[in-house]
Amino acid sequence: ETLGLFTGIGLSEAKARETLRNGALSALLRQAVLQARSALGPALDKATGTLLYNTAARLKDPKHLGFLVDYITRREILTDLQLSAALEYVRSHPLEPLDVTDFERACGVGICITPEQIEEAVEAVISKHRAELLAERYHFNMGLLMGEARNRLRWADGKTIKNEVDLQVLHLLGPKTEADLEKKPKAAKARLAPAEKQKVAVVENGDMGTETQSLLEQLRGEALKFHKPGENYKTEGYVVTPNTMALLKQHLAITGGQVRTRFPPEPNGILHIGHAKAINFNFGYAKANGGVCFLRYDDTNPEKEEEKYFTAIREMVEWLGYQPFAVTHASDYFDQLYTWALELIRRGQAYVCHQRVEEIKGHNPPPSPWRDRPVEESLLLFEDMRKGKFGEGEATLRMKLVMEDGKMDPVAYRVKFTPHHRTGDKWCIYPTYDYTHCLCDSIEHITHSLCTKEFQARRSSYFWLCNALDVYCPVQWEYGRLNLLYTVVSKRKIIRLVETGAVRDWDDPRLFTLTALRRRGFPPEAINNFCARVGVTVAQATMEPHLLEACAREVLNEQAPRAMAVLEPLKVTITNFPAPKALEVLVPNFPADESRGFHKVPFQQTIYIEETDFREEADKGYKRLAPGQPVGLRHAGYVITVQNVIKDVSGRVIELEVTCTKSDMAEKPKAFIHWVSEPLACEVRLYERLFLHKNPEDPSEVPGGFLSDLNPDSLRVVHNALVDSSVHSARPFDKFQFERLGYFSVDPDSEAGKMVFNRTVTLKEDPGKA
């Protein structure tokens, strides 16, 4: 029967069967068709059928179905354009009753556009663009004419307008010629200079700074679909109550229509690369829309919170280039949250429960026998909880709702006899995330509560709690987490790595915490660029570390001045050195752009080169120094030739005696090598991946657990490296490109007389790591 109803309005049998497989759509369409048939008779034309199908498929709130079908059957909504306006109107006006006069005005009901009006509108548009049309002829963008004509006559039929445009263009230009039929050559896209690509430093939230529009567009990703401030009710799944519109009106009066987001970390660990995505999204979305972002610490679990985490979190947010609009804490609102908890009990929406934590864990815990206890009893017991009359685990306050994942009655408050770092001993009950988060968002008038996908199951409790207390309800939006391969980011697992001595601390450069990345030398711009390239999508993103490293190379190539260093020094004595004392060599800080300055490097009779840049016997294809095969010295203007090889008693080469010739007097060598003279001794730390497998936490990949997967070669320390003296005044976190070796950053372990460098990345990606 239903299949016949659907084919009777013009659907193909295949489309009708596909519709039947969608229970919700099928039920709405059946209702719409039956209503239309009762008004118009069993035979419905295809145009009416199409309108009915589109209404059922696109309508968000089924309560308006009969209202819209009535307009379709009365032939007052005749076009898809009118239907789109009608659907938008009912979506934008969720409260009953609808203003019929305003609705009809918004949908063009009763407006009749004559052929003469269409002809006049098209004539006016063509007259406006006459010169360009005559110049470009049929290569002109005819869609522009269509668009402008439709803007003049909103409710006109699109096909009629197109026919009129075609007719008048033909009258003006005549038939198409061969030249008109040739494809118009595509204009070459202007390429950004490398420096422009890196303009991503965020100076102040709300200030566009130097970011490029393309980066902001990438940051926004899924956010392009977001509601405008004050239009929360347009979001699918948002719960509208009789007081919603009044609350939204108050909200707009307070915020002035400003976008407001928040970054709400728990201060119980150091932020990692996944948090960088959250920071970029929250601050970046607010920034892209002229809004503000709060940094709000979710400090509701005093057992695990430490001051060092509060400090490090803010440092990392600011290091990435963002300044919070305000720094707040969930604990700022403990008094208000407690008052609301009492109100929730009074409204019969919360109760004190004595089930133990282990009893309510899992997917199907038994229902609480205390769910229906009297309100007054729960109020008294909750007060006893606050006064410390219950031990930990003996009583909780639970909310009366079923969450999207089936979890029943989430806990709102629990007893913890742990002093809080900000409120001291004032409280021995602390609110949970499920209770606190949405209410803090409400207090701060957040417009877009952005969180990762695993919180989707809490969206129902988010909306439920705000509405149960009749307070402003923001919208929760979920996006996919950002994960990296070959690492772990769990706080518990990083603590295990620290405790076992696998890493030194949270900022060990082999980790992917933000403090570790900073210590290793990753520029914040590179991390922001990486997050932008990953994008903000609903799907979880698991990325290879080399993609982050590629972003670092791009930024460091522009930011890191060049210097020369030797990791495995081999002494070289120039027997015919051309001067009685050291010469000064000018080395460009950035060889590709000498306008960015030079530094001086001493060049004297004794220099040091890399051991690997010399061989006693040159293999085929070997282009560096060997007996009979000279090489050039970078920047020095000299070519050296081996005269004598000096070895120790074991036969190891310990020194070379060479002669030098000015470059313009010698035959061009096969290669130029780096060197140092009068160098500074330094320590260099070379890092590889901490884990051997892509997914060290996956039991199928690493049966012995992540601690069994540690790479024994993840750190190699070069204790006696040499670096040219131009870096002597460098401070921790300063960055350099050591020519031919990679990008390096000064480590905070550096002391007077002994600098320490961390290799950030090599100059090129290692193909073996791809």
Side-chain angles (χ1 to χ4, degrees):
E1 179 202 358
T2 305
L3 182 65
L5 281 178
F6 291 174
T7 55
I9 63 169
L11 294 186
S12 67
E13 186 170 337
K15 185 67 176 177
R17 290 188 183 281
E18 180 189 325
T19 303
L20 281 170
R21 287 196 290 271
N22 183 331
L25 171 58
S26 181
L28 281 180
L29 183 56
R30 187 176 191 278
Q31 182 183 335
V33 173
L34 290 174
Q35 180 182 337
R37 288 178 65 169
S38 69
L40 300 174
L44 298 176
D45 61 87
K46 188 170 181 180
T48 301
T50 301
L51 288 172
L52 294 175
Y53 180 85
N54 287 340
T55 302
R58 294 160 58 190
L59 185 63
K60 299 296 183 186
D61 190 346
K63 72 182 179 186
H64 293 118
L65 181 68
F67 176 78
L68 294 177
V69 170
D70 193 36
Y71 272 88
I72 292 170
T73 56
R74 295 204 311 260
R75 312 293 189 191
E76 292 180 327
I77 289 180
L78 291 164
T79 66
D80 193 63
L81 191 65
Q82 284 182 296
L83 179 61
S84 294
L87 290 168
E88 175 59 27
Y89 187 91
V90 297
R91 192 164 72 100
S92 303
H93 297 76
L95 298 184
E96 299 286 0
L98 291 175
D99 184 330
V100 173
T101 303
D102 191 45
F103 170 80
E104 292 182 351
R105 180 195 55 75
C107 303
V109 171
I111 296 176
C112 179
I113 305 296
T114 66
E116 291 75 21
Q117 287 175 300
I118 293 175
E119 184 181 344
E120 287 174 10
V122 172
E123 192 175 303
V125 171
I126 286 181
S127 176
K128 175 183 171 184
H129 294 284
R130 182 183 176 85
E132 300 102 295
L133 272 165
L134 290 171
E136 297 184 39
R137 290 184 57 78
Y138 286 98
H139 288 139
F140 184 82
N141 178 11
M142 301 302 172
L144 182 65
L145 305 180
M146 279 287 298
E148 290 192 15
R150 295 196 74 157
N151 285 340
R152 289 168 182 254
L153 299 171
R154 184 182 177 193
W155 304 113
D157 179 66
K159 286 183 180 178
T160 308
I161 291 178
K162 185 178 186 309
N163 291 337
E164 185 63 31
V165 168
D166 291 344
L167 185 67
Q168 292 198 30
V169 168
L170 179 64
H171 180 72
L172 176 67
L173 303 179
K176 288 184 179 180
T177 64
E178 284 189 21
D180 293 326
L181 295 171
E182 290 178 6
K183 285 188 176 180
K184 189 176 181 181
K186 289 185 178 179
K189 291 183 179 178
R191 297 187 67 176
L192 289 176
E196 288 179 303
K197 288 183 184 177
Q198 302 305 328
K199 290 181 180 178
V200 293
V202 182
V203 179
E204 183 71 29
N205 194 42
D207 170 18
M208 285 300 289
T210 57
E211 287 188 272
T212 63
Q213 187 63 28
S214 60
L215 175 60
L216 288 177
E217 289 301 321
Q218 289 180 76
L219 272 175
R220 291 167 75 177
E222 286 290 311
L224 296 174
K225 303 173 184 175
F226 286 177
H227 68 280
K228 294 177 182 177
E231 295 185 354
N232 305 28
Y233 54 87
K234 291 188 177 182
T235 304
E236 190 170 352
Y238 190 81
V239 180
V240 177
T241 71
N243 206 24
T244 292
M245 303 311 284
L247 289 168
L248 288 173
K249 187 176 180 181
Q250 292 172 12
H251 159 72
L252 285 174
I254 291 167
T255 66
Q258 181 184 55
V259 166
R260 288 189 171 198
T261 61
R262 80 291 166 271
F263 173 57
E266 297 176 73
N268 60 2
I270 299 296
L271 303 182
H272 54 70
I273 188 68
H275 291 111
K277 177 177 176 179
I279 292 168
N280 269 281
F281 192 21
N282 276 288
F283 283 90
Y285 180 67
K287 180 184 180 64
N289 290 280
V292 297
C293 183
F294 291 72
L295 169 59
R296 185 205 308 144
Y297 294 108
D298 180 20
D299 57 343
T300 56
N301 192 359
E303 292 172 329
K304 298 181 180 180
E305 296 160 5
E306 295 183 40
E307 187 58 38
K308 69 176 182 179
Y309 298 138
F310 286 86
T311 304
I313 286 170
R314 181 163 185 177
E315 279 182 2
M316 290 300 97
V317 169
E318 294 178 348
W319 175 65
L320 287 178
Y322 295 106
Q323 285 294 331
F325 170 69
V327 177
T328 60
H329 304 74
S331 57
D332 295 339
Y333 311 121
F334 276 179
D335 288 313
Q336 177 63 68
L337 294 173
Y338 177 74
T339 300
W340 274 336
L342 294 173
E343 180 62 22
L344 203 62
I345 298 171
R346 291 190 192 101
R347 294 184 178 209
Q349 302 285 15
Y351 63 96
V352 172
C353 176
H354 305 290
Q355 285 178 298
R356 295 279 180 173
V357 173
E358 54 272 16
E359 290 181 73
I360 59 176
K361 273 187 176 179
H363 292 293
N364 295 299
S368 172
W370 294 279
R371 195 173 200 265
D372 297 319
R373 76 188 327 160
V375 166
E376 290 304 320
E377 190 176 307
S378 280
L379 285 171
L380 290 171
L381 292 170
F382 188 50
E383 180 65 11
D384 287 345
M385 285 172 62
R386 189 185 71 80
K387 290 178 178 178
K389 293 183 180 180
F390 287 103
E392 293 190 13
E394 291 180 0
T396 58
L397 182 69
R398 296 176 68 182
M399 298 177 279
K400 290 185 181 180
L401 80 147
V402 180
M403 299 173 72
E404 289 181 28
D405 60 356
K407 181 181 176 184
M408 190 170 183
D409 294 0
V411 172
Y413 271 86
R414 69 277 203 216
V415 177
K416 285 183 181 290
F417 292 105
T418 305
H420 192 277
H421 73 290
R422 297 185 76 241
T423 60
D425 293 323
K426 178 177 179 180
W427 301 95
C428 65
I429 53 171
Y430 292 99
T432 61
Y433 175 92
D434 287 323
Y435 178 78
T436 307
H437 190 69
C438 61
L439 296 180
C440 288
D441 282 352
S442 178
I443 292 168
E444 293 176 352
H445 282 272
I446 300 304
T447 57
H448 300 78
S449 182
L450 310 174
C451 59
T452 47
K453 193 72 176 172
E454 67 264 31
F455 291 100
Q456 184 169 342
R458 279 142 155 173
R459 191 199 296 181
S460 54
S461 70
Y462 188 105
F463 291 158
W464 177 89
L465 183 51
C466 289
N467 291 326
L469 288 167
D470 210 18
V471 297
Y472 161 70
C473 183
V475 179
Q476 175 175 304
W477 291 92
E478 303 89 12
Y479 59 91
R481 289 173 66 97
L482 169 59
N483 295 321
L484 278 185
L485 298 172
Y486 296 101
T487 191
V488 297
V489 294
S490 154
K491 294 165 187 171
R492 180 176 56 81
K493 289 176 181 175
I494 291 176
I495 289 171
R496 289 285 293 128
L497 290 170
V498 174
E499 289 172 346
T500 57
V503 298
R504 293 172 57 181
D505 208 337
W506 288 81
D507 65 348
D508 188 296
R510 290 167 289 180
L511 295 173
F512 284 88
T513 60
L514 295 184
T515 51
L517 290 169
R518 178 179 64 170
R519 184 165 189 168
R520 184 158 169 170
F522 279 78
E525 298 92 335
I527 295 171
N528 293 344
N529 287 356
F530 176 64
C531 292
R533 289 179 188 181
V534 170
V536 183
T537 59
V538 174
Q540 179 172 296
T542 301
M543 311 300 290
E544 291 272 5
H546 69 78
L547 298 172
L548 174 59
E549 292 167 0
C551 291
R553 288 188 189 94
E554 287 180 10
V555 176
L556 290 169
N557 186 50
E558 295 295 318
Q559 290 185 355
R562 281 33 170 185
M564 291 191 287
V566 172
L567 302 189
E568 297 174 339
L570 174 60
K571 183 179 179 182
V572 176
T573 301
I574 304 172
T575 58
N576 66 335
F577 191 73
K581 61 179 184 178
L583 302 174
E584 276 191 346
V585 174
L586 280 180
V587 177
N589 295 327
F590 297 88
D593 183 4
E594 294 189 352
S595 67
R596 297 177 72 179
F598 293 78
H599 60 273
K600 293 177 181 178
V601 173
F603 176 47
Q604 63 163 356
Q605 185 175 24
T606 300
I607 64 172
Y608 297 87
I609 66 171
E610 292 283 358
E611 274 190 359
T612 52
D613 280 341
F614 170 75
R615 287 186 189 174
E616 288 189 82
E617 294 183 14
D619 299 334
K620 187 177 180 180
Y622 182 75
K623 296 182 179 180
R624 285 164 281 172
L625 186 61
Q629 182 168 293
V631 295
L633 298 177
R634 291 175 69 84
H635 310 297
Y638 285 90
V639 174
I640 58 173
T641 304
V642 176
Q643 301 297 321
N644 188 27
V645 179
I646 302 169
K647 303 180 181 181
D648 62 13
V649 291
S650 66
R652 178 173 171 269
V653 177
I654 58 172
E655 185 179 351
L656 301 176
E657 289 181 346
V658 303
T659 56
C660 69
T661 308
K662 271 189 164 291
S663 298
D664 55 5
M665 304 288 289
E667 186 178 334
K668 185 176 180 181
K670 291 183 177 180
F672 286 81
I673 62 173
H674 63 280
W675 53 276
V676 292
S677 183
E678 296 183 12
L680 304 174
C682 65
E683 177 182 304
V684 173
R685 298 169 182 172
L686 306 174
Y687 299 99
E688 299 294 340
R689 290 175 181 150
L690 183 59
F691 295 99
L692 297 169
H693 291 82
K694 284 188 174 184
N695 300 292
E697 298 170 278
D698 184 347
S700 63
E701 201 170 325
V702 185
F706 73 101
L707 288 176
S708 71
D709 196 46
L710 292 169
N711 176 7
D713 301 316
S714 62
L715 170 62
R716 180 165 75 90
V717 179
V718 181
H719 293 284
N720 297 306
L722 302 174
V723 63
D724 73 49
S725 56
S726 66
V727 304
H728 75 280
S729 60
R731 294 185 291 184
F733 307 117
D734 284 353
K735 296 160 184 59
F736 299 91
Q737 184 196 111
F738 289 167
E739 298 199 32
R740 300 177 65 222
L741 297 179
Y743 295 100
F744 293 77
S745 179
V746 180
D747 189 87
D749 285 346
S750 297
E751 299 174 349
K754 189 62 177 284
M755 299 184 78
V756 178
F757 290 91
N758 295 314
R759 184 173 66 189
T760 307
V761 287
T762 54
L763 289 179
K764 294 181 179 179
E765 181 187 328
D766 181 349
K769 292 182 183 178

